[in-house]
Amino acid sequence: MLTFMPRRKQLRMTACGGECSVKNKVYLIDVTNRDGVQTSRILLPKLSKTMLNLYLDEMGVYQSEIGFPTLKHEVEYINANLELAKAGGIRRLRLEGWCRALPEDVELSFRNCPDLQHLNISVSTSDIMIQGKFQGRKTWENVVESMCKSVKAAKQRGAVTVGVNAEDASRTGVERLIEFALAGKEAGADRVRYCDTLGVDDPLTLYERIKALAPAAKIPIEMHCHNDLGMAEAVSLAGAQGAIESGVDSYINTTVNGYGERAGNCDLVTTILALKFSHTLAGKVPLDEQLNLKTAWKIARYASYAFNIPIPMNQPGVGANAFAHESGIHADGALKDRRSYELYDPEDVGRGEPELLETGRIITTGEYGGIKGFRHVCDTLGISFPGDDEARRILELVQHANLHTQKALTDDELRFIATYPEIVRKILVVRP
Ligand SMILES: [Zn+2]
């Protein structure tokens, strides 16, 4: 992974026009539940999407792009998650929907999900996509106009924040990106998303482009980078640095374990690691201080389990070999002083505790479970019920949840089902 970052001074000229100390921050918007799940050949049940939102909230991630409010099979899940946030089950995480930058899509989003407060709307901005996709039916002017109308429609429907996504921004001229961002801002947009849709940018190029875009547009910029050249994190971080240096906040789009279209997206844990431990980035590109890296192990492992995709052995922070040493010189050095060969500790990413695996008799519960086994499992997890009727009601929900996920329910899933049964009931609804 490339980690080259141009050096810069702590004090610098900013978009505010004067010399001031670093005050802007990098926030994370995780898009696993939208970009991750739309990926070819990977699937995520709605209960698992909800669990990811819970883990992202626990991790202190700023926002989760939870899905498509225009897509029928997402509606019950999105509304249930919005209800969960209202009930206090999700505390800080902003739940945001994604749709095309078309006024009719925005209208449909709010008709389907009236409590939605955050929305990102997307449209292609490069000539190659405008010509290729719209085949002469839309011009650049139409694209900008449609985006502006969509922003206004979203704000009229009560959206608290709207992000405008420039799809294929990397193949769009900077002057056009400035025009797009300024028009969006004028219409009421809160952020512009720079989408490196093809993963074609490199760190230096994006840094320079953001240094041109941010001071001119003076609007917070999201970095949305794909990993086709293996540089998604490096490119996102360089863009974020350009935004911070220009005096605007930056929002890096991530996915858990880097899952996403083709070669994937910018990985959540790696991005946090880089901002915390890179010699050049740490301290100079301030990260949202709410982020708690200690939950990294838990969320990465859960996503791997839920998606049925193993974590590569050499994955930063959470791979099996991330803290393994065998060769003579390395093992000797690490044993004498772990700092010889480790940049950060296993505990920093929530590792280090031995995990117990039951090798003898075990009682599980699920799709065909009965009340005795269910009660036994709940007792071991510290879950209790006011009466037998309530226990049977939750058991029935557990049976359906297991049917829905098609894999053994985790302890946290069982706890969630027992704590928010009515919300889970809505999440499990499929109405074709
Ligand atoms: Zn994408």
Side-chain angles (χ1 to χ4, degrees), residues 323-357:
F323 301 95
H325 312 280
E326 182 175 310
S327 76
I329 292 170
H330 281 237
D332 178 57
L335 286 168
K336 285 173 178 154
D337 178 359
R338 57 188 178 172
R339 279 291 163 266
S340 297
Y341 288 100
E342 287 176 7
L343 189 56
Y344 45 88
D345 293 324
E347 292 78 11
D348 289 329
V349 290
R351 297 174 70 156
E353 290 293 318
E355 288 183 342
L356 296 175
L357 187 67

mmCIF file of all heavy atoms in Angstrom, residues 323-357:
data_model
loop_
_atom_site.group_PDB
_atom_site.id
_atom_site.type_symbol
_atom_site.label_atom_id
_atom_site.label_comp_id
_atom_site.label_asym_id
_atom_site.label_seq_id
_atom_site.Cartn_x
_atom_site.Cartn_y
_atom_site.Cartn_z
ATOM 1 N N PHE A 323 0.190 -9.524 13.504
ATOM 2 C CA PHE A 323 1.121 -9.424 14.655
ATOM 3 C C PHE A 323 1.901 -10.725 14.829
ATOM 4 O O PHE A 323 2.279 -11.088 15.940
ATOM 5 C CB PHE A 323 0.349 -9.094 15.941
ATOM 6 C CG PHE A 323 -0.406 -7.799 15.852
ATOM 7 C CD1 PHE A 323 -1.747 -7.791 15.483
ATOM 8 C CD2 PHE A 323 0.216 -6.593 16.109
ATOM 9 C CE1 PHE A 323 -2.460 -6.601 15.373
ATOM 10 C CE2 PHE A 323 -0.470 -5.394 15.997
ATOM 11 C CZ PHE A 323 -1.819 -5.402 15.630
ATOM 12 N N ALA A 324 2.127 -11.451 13.730
ATOM 13 C CA ALA A 324 2.822 -12.740 13.815
ATOM 14 C C ALA A 324 4.271 -12.578 13.376
ATOM 15 O O ALA A 324 4.561 -11.865 12.416
ATOM 16 C CB ALA A 324 2.108 -13.760 12.935
ATOM 17 N N HIS A 325 5.180 -13.213 14.106
ATOM 18 C CA HIS A 325 6.611 -13.123 13.789
ATOM 19 C C HIS A 325 7.202 -14.522 13.826
ATOM 20 O O HIS A 325 6.990 -15.249 14.789
ATOM 21 C CB HIS A 325 7.342 -12.238 14.814
ATOM 22 C CG HIS A 325 6.642 -10.928 15.068
ATOM 23 N ND1 HIS A 325 6.743 -9.852 14.226
ATOM 24 C CD2 HIS A 325 5.797 -10.541 16.062
ATOM 25 C CE1 HIS A 325 6.009 -8.850 14.691
ATOM 26 N NE2 HIS A 325 5.413 -9.249 15.808
ATOM 27 N N GLU A 326 7.945 -14.891 12.804
ATOM 28 C CA GLU A 326 8.555 -16.217 12.807
ATOM 29 C C GLU A 326 10.041 -16.199 12.437
ATOM 30 O O GLU A 326 10.851 -16.862 13.074
ATOM 31 C CB GLU A 326 7.805 -17.140 11.828
ATOM 32 C CG GLU A 326 8.355 -18.560 11.810
ATOM 33 C CD GLU A 326 7.534 -19.501 10.936
ATOM 34 O OE1 GLU A 326 6.300 -19.530 11.094
ATOM 35 O OE2 GLU A 326 8.137 -20.200 10.104
ATOM 36 N N SER A 327 10.397 -15.424 11.448
ATOM 37 C CA SER A 327 11.793 -15.469 11.000
ATOM 38 C C SER A 327 12.713 -15.091 12.158
ATOM 39 O O SER A 327 12.352 -14.278 13.019
ATOM 40 C CB SER A 327 11.999 -14.531 9.812
ATOM 41 O OG SER A 327 12.046 -13.199 10.256
ATOM 42 N N GLY A 328 13.907 -15.671 12.167
ATOM 43 C CA GLY A 328 14.818 -15.558 13.303
ATOM 44 C C GLY A 328 15.035 -14.129 13.773
ATOM 45 O O GLY A 328 14.820 -13.802 14.947
ATOM 46 N N ILE A 329 15.398 -13.269 12.869
ATOM 47 C CA ILE A 329 15.737 -11.890 13.249
ATOM 48 C C ILE A 329 14.505 -11.155 13.754
ATOM 49 O O ILE A 329 14.548 -10.453 14.765
ATOM 50 C CB ILE A 329 16.377 -11.156 12.047
ATOM 51 C CG1 ILE A 329 17.750 -11.780 11.754
ATOM 52 C CG2 ILE A 329 16.499 -9.668 12.310
ATOM 53 C CD1 ILE A 329 18.374 -11.314 10.445
ATOM 54 N N HIS A 330 13.362 -11.356 13.077
ATOM 55 C CA HIS A 330 12.132 -10.656 13.473
ATOM 56 C C HIS A 330 11.627 -11.146 14.834
ATOM 57 O O HIS A 330 11.264 -10.347 15.699
ATOM 58 C CB HIS A 330 11.040 -10.858 12.412
ATOM 59 C CG HIS A 330 11.214 -9.972 11.228
ATOM 60 N ND1 HIS A 330 10.253 -9.105 10.790
ATOM 61 C CD2 HIS A 330 12.272 -9.815 10.392
ATOM 62 C CE1 HIS A 330 10.688 -8.449 9.721
ATOM 63 N NE2 HIS A 330 11.917 -8.868 9.467
ATOM 64 N N ALA A 331 11.578 -12.470 15.014
ATOM 65 C CA ALA A 331 11.063 -13.010 16.275
ATOM 66 C C ALA A 331 11.954 -12.560 17.437
ATOM 67 O O ALA A 331 11.463 -12.122 18.481
ATOM 68 C CB ALA A 331 11.008 -14.535 16.207
ATOM 69 N N ASP A 332 13.253 -12.628 17.252
ATOM 70 C CA ASP A 332 14.190 -12.195 18.292
ATOM 71 C C ASP A 332 13.970 -10.719 18.615
ATOM 72 O O ASP A 332 13.855 -10.334 19.784
ATOM 73 C CB ASP A 332 15.629 -12.441 17.794
ATOM 74 C CG ASP A 332 16.656 -11.956 18.808
ATOM 75 O OD1 ASP A 332 16.604 -12.433 19.969
ATOM 76 O OD2 ASP A 332 17.479 -11.083 18.459
ATOM 77 N N GLY A 333 13.870 -9.905 17.572
ATOM 78 C CA GLY A 333 13.677 -8.469 17.776
ATOM 79 C C GLY A 333 12.362 -8.167 18.462
ATOM 80 O O GLY A 333 12.293 -7.359 19.394
ATOM 81 N N ALA A 334 11.270 -8.830 18.020
ATOM 82 C CA ALA A 334 9.947 -8.567 18.597
ATOM 83 C C ALA A 334 9.883 -9.013 20.050
ATOM 84 O O ALA A 334 9.218 -8.375 20.881
ATOM 85 C CB ALA A 334 8.873 -9.280 17.778
ATOM 86 N N LEU A 335 10.571 -10.114 20.371
ATOM 87 C CA LEU A 335 10.567 -10.594 21.755
ATOM 88 C C LEU A 335 11.328 -9.635 22.675
ATOM 89 O O LEU A 335 10.939 -9.424 23.827
ATOM 90 C CB LEU A 335 11.183 -12.001 21.836
ATOM 91 C CG LEU A 335 10.285 -13.131 21.301
ATOM 92 C CD1 LEU A 335 11.075 -14.422 21.137
ATOM 93 C CD2 LEU A 335 9.079 -13.353 22.220
ATOM 94 N N LYS A 336 12.407 -9.056 22.173
ATOM 95 C CA LYS A 336 13.194 -8.129 22.997
ATOM 96 C C LYS A 336 12.469 -6.790 23.151
ATOM 97 O O LYS A 336 12.470 -6.193 24.215
ATOM 98 C CB LYS A 336 14.569 -7.911 22.370
ATOM 99 C CG LYS A 336 15.504 -9.103 22.571
ATOM 100 C CD LYS A 336 16.787 -8.903 21.795
ATOM 101 C CE LYS A 336 17.738 -10.068 22.040
ATOM 102 N NZ LYS A 336 18.663 -10.224 20.906
ATOM 103 N N ASP A 337 11.916 -6.309 22.062
ATOM 104 C CA ASP A 337 11.188 -5.026 22.093
ATOM 105 C C ASP A 337 10.171 -5.053 20.955
ATOM 106 O O ASP A 337 10.551 -5.009 19.779
ATOM 107 C CB ASP A 337 12.165 -3.856 21.923
ATOM 108 C CG ASP A 337 11.444 -2.517 21.899
ATOM 109 O OD1 ASP A 337 10.184 -2.502 21.998
ATOM 110 O OD2 ASP A 337 12.115 -1.486 21.766
ATOM 111 N N ARG A 338 8.884 -5.118 21.294
ATOM 112 C CA ARG A 338 7.869 -5.280 20.239
ATOM 113 C C ARG A 338 7.874 -4.116 19.254
ATOM 114 O O ARG A 338 7.461 -4.267 18.107
ATOM 115 C CB ARG A 338 6.484 -5.479 20.850
ATOM 116 C CG ARG A 338 6.042 -4.360 21.769
ATOM 117 C CD ARG A 338 4.754 -4.743 22.456
ATOM 118 N NE ARG A 338 4.327 -3.707 23.396
ATOM 119 C CZ ARG A 338 3.173 -3.731 24.006
ATOM 120 N NH1 ARG A 338 2.338 -4.731 23.798
ATOM 121 N NH2 ARG A 338 2.838 -2.772 24.842
ATOM 122 N N ARG A 339 8.354 -2.971 19.701
ATOM 123 C CA ARG A 339 8.405 -1.817 18.802
ATOM 124 C C ARG A 339 9.418 -2.015 17.669
ATOM 125 O O ARG A 339 9.423 -1.258 16.701
ATOM 126 C CB ARG A 339 8.730 -0.534 19.573
ATOM 127 C CG ARG A 339 7.544 0.087 20.255
ATOM 128 C CD ARG A 339 6.538 0.679 19.247
ATOM 129 N NE ARG A 339 5.236 0.905 19.877
ATOM 130 C CZ ARG A 339 4.235 0.040 19.848
ATOM 131 N NH1 ARG A 339 4.356 -1.096 19.184
ATOM 132 N NH2 ARG A 339 3.104 0.297 20.452
ATOM 133 N N SER A 340 10.285 -3.025 17.819
ATOM 134 C CA SER A 340 11.244 -3.291 16.738
ATOM 135 C C SER A 340 10.524 -3.620 15.442
ATOM 136 O O SER A 340 10.953 -3.231 14.371
ATOM 137 C CB SER A 340 12.155 -4.470 17.107
ATOM 138 O OG SER A 340 12.911 -4.154 18.245
ATOM 139 N N TYR A 341 9.422 -4.384 15.568
ATOM 140 C CA TYR A 341 8.745 -4.830 14.345
ATOM 141 C C TYR A 341 7.242 -4.591 14.342
ATOM 142 O O TYR A 341 6.548 -5.112 13.487
ATOM 143 C CB TYR A 341 9.039 -6.318 14.091
ATOM 144 C CG TYR A 341 10.464 -6.532 13.638
ATOM 145 C CD1 TYR A 341 11.447 -6.972 14.519
ATOM 146 C CD2 TYR A 341 10.830 -6.263 12.316
ATOM 147 C CE1 TYR A 341 12.758 -7.141 14.104
ATOM 148 C CE2 TYR A 341 12.139 -6.429 11.893
ATOM 149 C CZ TYR A 341 13.096 -6.864 12.787
ATOM 150 O OH TYR A 341 14.396 -7.022 12.371
ATOM 151 N N GLU A 342 6.731 -3.849 15.319
ATOM 152 C CA GLU A 342 5.291 -3.564 15.326
ATOM 153 C C GLU A 342 5.052 -2.071 15.467
ATOM 154 O O GLU A 342 5.534 -1.452 16.418
ATOM 155 C CB GLU A 342 4.595 -4.303 16.483
ATOM 156 C CG GLU A 342 4.462 -5.788 16.251
ATOM 157 C CD GLU A 342 3.861 -6.509 17.459
ATOM 158 O OE1 GLU A 342 3.438 -5.825 18.419
ATOM 159 O OE2 GLU A 342 3.835 -7.742 17.427
ATOM 160 N N LEU A 343 4.269 -1.550 14.555
ATOM 161 C CA LEU A 343 3.965 -0.117 14.568
ATOM 162 C C LEU A 343 2.934 0.227 15.645
ATOM 163 O O LEU A 343 2.913 1.320 16.194
ATOM 164 C CB LEU A 343 3.433 0.266 13.176
ATOM 165 C CG LEU A 343 3.224 1.721 12.841
ATOM 166 C CD1 LEU A 343 4.502 2.530 13.032
ATOM 167 C CD2 LEU A 343 2.735 1.857 11.398
ATOM 168 N N TYR A 344 2.058 -0.708 15.912
ATOM 169 C CA TYR A 344 1.016 -0.516 16.937
ATOM 170 C C TYR A 344 0.757 -1.881 17.573
ATOM 171 O O TYR A 344 1.233 -2.913 17.084
ATOM 172 C CB TYR A 344 -0.271 0.063 16.332
ATOM 173 C CG TYR A 344 -0.698 -0.607 15.049
ATOM 174 C CD1 TYR A 344 -1.511 -1.741 15.072
ATOM 175 C CD2 TYR A 344 -0.275 -0.130 13.810
ATOM 176 C CE1 TYR A 344 -1.890 -2.375 13.898
ATOM 177 C CE2 TYR A 344 -0.650 -0.763 12.625
ATOM 178 C CZ TYR A 344 -1.450 -1.879 12.680
ATOM 179 O OH TYR A 344 -1.815 -2.519 11.529
ATOM 180 N N ASP A 345 -0.003 -1.872 18.667
ATOM 181 C CA ASP A 345 -0.197 -3.112 19.415
ATOM 182 C C ASP A 345 -1.487 -3.820 19.023
ATOM 183 O O ASP A 345 -2.459 -3.166 18.613
ATOM 184 C CB ASP A 345 -0.262 -2.794 20.918
ATOM 185 C CG ASP A 345 1.070 -2.294 21.427
ATOM 186 O OD1 ASP A 345 2.114 -2.790 20.952
ATOM 187 O OD2 ASP A 345 1.075 -1.399 22.299
ATOM 188 N N PRO A 346 -1.522 -5.143 19.242
ATOM 189 C CA PRO A 346 -2.775 -5.874 18.986
ATOM 190 C C PRO A 346 -3.935 -5.271 19.778
ATOM 191 O O PRO A 346 -5.062 -5.196 19.273
ATOM 192 C CB PRO A 346 -2.476 -7.296 19.475
ATOM 193 C CG PRO A 346 -0.989 -7.400 19.514
ATOM 194 C CD PRO A 346 -0.437 -6.021 19.701
ATOM 195 N N GLU A 347 -3.636 -4.807 21.001
ATOM 196 C CA GLU A 347 -4.691 -4.236 21.855
ATOM 197 C C GLU A 347 -5.291 -2.973 21.235
ATOM 198 O O GLU A 347 -6.438 -2.625 21.488
ATOM 199 C CB GLU A 347 -4.139 -3.906 23.250
ATOM 200 C CG GLU A 347 -3.748 -5.124 24.076
ATOM 201 C CD GLU A 347 -2.396 -5.745 23.667
ATOM 202 O OE1 GLU A 347 -1.651 -5.106 22.882
ATOM 203 O OE2 GLU A 347 -2.104 -6.865 24.125
ATOM 204 N N ASP A 348 -4.490 -2.259 20.422
ATOM 205 C CA ASP A 348 -4.992 -1.032 19.785
ATOM 206 C C ASP A 348 -6.173 -1.317 18.858
ATOM 207 O O ASP A 348 -7.011 -0.448 18.627
ATOM 208 C CB ASP A 348 -3.881 -0.348 18.967
ATOM 209 C CG ASP A 348 -2.815 0.272 19.859
ATOM 210 O OD1 ASP A 348 -3.148 0.698 20.978
ATOM 211 O OD2 ASP A 348 -1.642 0.306 19.436
ATOM 212 N N VAL A 349 -6.190 -2.509 18.295
ATOM 213 C CA VAL A 349 -7.299 -2.853 17.379
ATOM 214 C C VAL A 349 -8.270 -3.846 18.034
ATOM 215 O O VAL A 349 -9.078 -4.481 17.359
ATOM 216 C CB VAL A 349 -6.785 -3.432 16.038
ATOM 217 C CG1 VAL A 349 -6.105 -2.356 15.212
ATOM 218 C CG2 VAL A 349 -5.857 -4.613 16.259
ATOM 219 N N GLY A 350 -8.162 -3.972 19.357
ATOM 220 C CA GLY A 350 -9.114 -4.833 20.079
ATOM 221 C C GLY A 350 -8.756 -6.298 20.078
ATOM 222 O O GLY A 350 -9.616 -7.152 20.324
ATOM 223 N N ARG A 351 -7.486 -6.618 19.804
ATOM 224 C CA ARG A 351 -7.063 -8.021 19.827
ATOM 225 C C ARG A 351 -6.286 -8.294 21.109
ATOM 226 O O ARG A 351 -6.014 -7.408 21.884
ATOM 227 C CB ARG A 351 -6.158 -8.320 18.628
ATOM 228 C CG ARG A 351 -6.839 -8.161 17.327
ATOM 229 C CD ARG A 351 -5.891 -8.321 16.157
ATOM 230 N NE ARG A 351 -5.419 -9.697 15.976
ATOM 231 C CZ ARG A 351 -4.981 -10.178 14.811
ATOM 232 N NH1 ARG A 351 -4.972 -9.404 13.747
ATOM 233 N NH2 ARG A 351 -4.554 -11.424 14.707
ATOM 234 N N GLY A 352 -5.945 -9.549 21.287
ATOM 235 C CA GLY A 352 -5.067 -9.889 22.406
ATOM 236 C C GLY A 352 -5.713 -10.769 23.445
ATOM 237 O O GLY A 352 -5.026 -11.466 24.183
ATOM 238 N N GLU A 353 -7.059 -10.761 23.488
ATOM 239 C CA GLU A 353 -7.754 -11.626 24.441
ATOM 240 C C GLU A 353 -7.843 -13.041 23.873
ATOM 241 O O GLU A 353 -8.192 -13.199 22.700
ATOM 242 C CB GLU A 353 -9.183 -11.120 24.679
ATOM 243 C CG GLU A 353 -9.272 -9.819 25.445
ATOM 244 C CD GLU A 353 -8.810 -9.955 26.882
ATOM 245 O OE1 GLU A 353 -9.171 -10.967 27.524
ATOM 246 O OE2 GLU A 353 -8.068 -9.063 27.345
ATOM 247 N N PRO A 354 -7.538 -14.075 24.674
ATOM 248 C CA PRO A 354 -7.726 -15.431 24.154
ATOM 249 C C PRO A 354 -9.210 -15.687 23.900
ATOM 250 O O PRO A 354 -10.066 -15.167 24.626
ATOM 251 C CB PRO A 354 -7.192 -16.329 25.263
ATOM 252 C CG PRO A 354 -7.152 -15.485 26.482
ATOM 253 C CD PRO A 354 -7.070 -14.057 26.052
ATOM 254 N N GLU A 355 -9.525 -16.447 22.857
ATOM 255 C CA GLU A 355 -10.922 -16.739 22.567
ATOM 256 C C GLU A 355 -11.209 -18.190 22.894
ATOM 257 O O GLU A 355 -10.474 -19.087 22.484
ATOM 258 C CB GLU A 355 -11.224 -16.438 21.101
ATOM 259 C CG GLU A 355 -11.238 -14.937 20.856
ATOM 260 C CD GLU A 355 -11.596 -14.569 19.435
ATOM 261 O OE1 GLU A 355 -11.511 -15.435 18.556
ATOM 262 O OE2 GLU A 355 -11.968 -13.409 19.222
ATOM 263 N N LEU A 356 -12.275 -18.407 23.651
ATOM 264 C CA LEU A 356 -12.607 -19.762 24.064
ATOM 265 C C LEU A 356 -13.513 -20.408 23.027
ATOM 266 O O LEU A 356 -14.484 -19.816 22.565
ATOM 267 C CB LEU A 356 -13.322 -19.735 25.419
ATOM 268 C CG LEU A 356 -12.475 -19.199 26.576
ATOM 269 C CD1 LEU A 356 -13.310 -19.102 27.837
ATOM 270 C CD2 LEU A 356 -11.255 -20.088 26.813
ATOM 271 N N LEU A 357 -13.180 -21.602 22.669
ATOM 272 C CA LEU A 357 -13.991 -22.341 21.711
ATOM 273 C C LEU A 357 -14.487 -23.609 22.401
ATOM 274 O O LEU A 357 -13.685 -24.385 22.926
ATOM 275 C CB LEU A 357 -13.131 -22.702 20.490
ATOM 276 C CG LEU A 357 -13.869 -23.326 19.318
ATOM 277 C CD1 LEU A 357 -14.822 -22.322 18.683
ATOM 278 C CD2 LEU A 357 -12.860 -23.823 18.281
#
